């Protein structure tokens, strides 16, 4: 069955960095666009970033542009999110998802269980 397993979350001080990973199985990873979405406490799901099949097209929400970098390793069926200059408002559960495209309106087919990121001093 399809599995998306996120890791790399944790507690970090403002200005710090984290690198999230998402290992995929049960489907052809290289044939799927992928995205990161997040859910902050008390809020709905927010699209963060998306990447196309080969990694040549990367899109970002305005709130993270210039601070976050999405990437993928198709040989290892793994999606990454490098997060720098973290802010308290980045605190959320982060999910990876297989999507129909790399943009914010793409539909999600599968989503992982999430990894908690907390930015606090």
């Amino acid at each position: 069955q399809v599995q998306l397993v996120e890791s790399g979350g944790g507690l970090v001080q403002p200005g710090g960095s984290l690198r999230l990973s998402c290992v995929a199985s049960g489907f052809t990873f290289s044939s799927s666009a992928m995205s990161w979405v997040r859910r902050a406490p008390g809020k709905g799901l927010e699209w963060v970033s998306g990447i196309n099949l080969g990694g040549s097209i990367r899109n970002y929400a305005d709130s993270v542009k210039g601070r976050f970098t999405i990437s993928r390793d198709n040989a290892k069926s793994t999606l990454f999110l490098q997060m720098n200059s973290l802010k308290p408002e980045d605190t959320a559960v982060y999910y990876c998802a297989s999507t129909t495209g790399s943009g914010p309106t793409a539909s999600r087919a599968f989503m992982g269980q999430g990894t908690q990121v907390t930015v606090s001093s």
Side-chain angles (χ1 to χ4, degrees):
Q1 71 278 19
V2 172
Q3 280 195 309
L4 295 168
V5 181
E6 301 95 337
S7 63
L11 173 63
V12 64
Q13 292 187 340
S17 297
L18 283 174
R19 189 191 196 205
L20 306 184
S21 299
C22 169
V23 178
S25 61
F27 68 104
T28 306
F29 180 77
S30 58
S31 296
S32 178
M34 298 293 296
S35 295
W36 288 97
V37 297
R38 66 186 181 186
R39 187 191 302 274
K43 297 187 177 181
L45 276 175
E46 176 191 15
W47 175 82
V48 174
S49 181
I51 189 168
N52 71 336
L53 307 184
S56 61
I57 299 175
R58 309 178 191 197
N59 295 304
Y60 300 94
D62 287 344
S63 58
V64 307
K65 200 171 293 183
R67 300 187 297 121
F68 290 11
T69 302
I70 190 171
S71 62
R72 65 191 296 162
D73 183 340
N74 285 344
K76 297 182 178 179
S77 297
T78 304
L79 179 72
F80 302 100
L81 186 68
Q82 177 67 44
M83 305 187 296
N84 299 329
S85 303
L86 283 161
K87 305 175 180 180
E89 52 263 43
D90 294 318
T91 295
V93 178
Y94 284 72
Y95 304 88
C96 69
S98 59
T99 50
T100 58
S102 60
T105 61
S107 300
R108 294 184 296 273
F110 302 102
M111 201 162 75
Q113 294 300 306
T115 185
Q116 175 71 48
V117 171
T118 302
V119 185
S120 174
S121 55

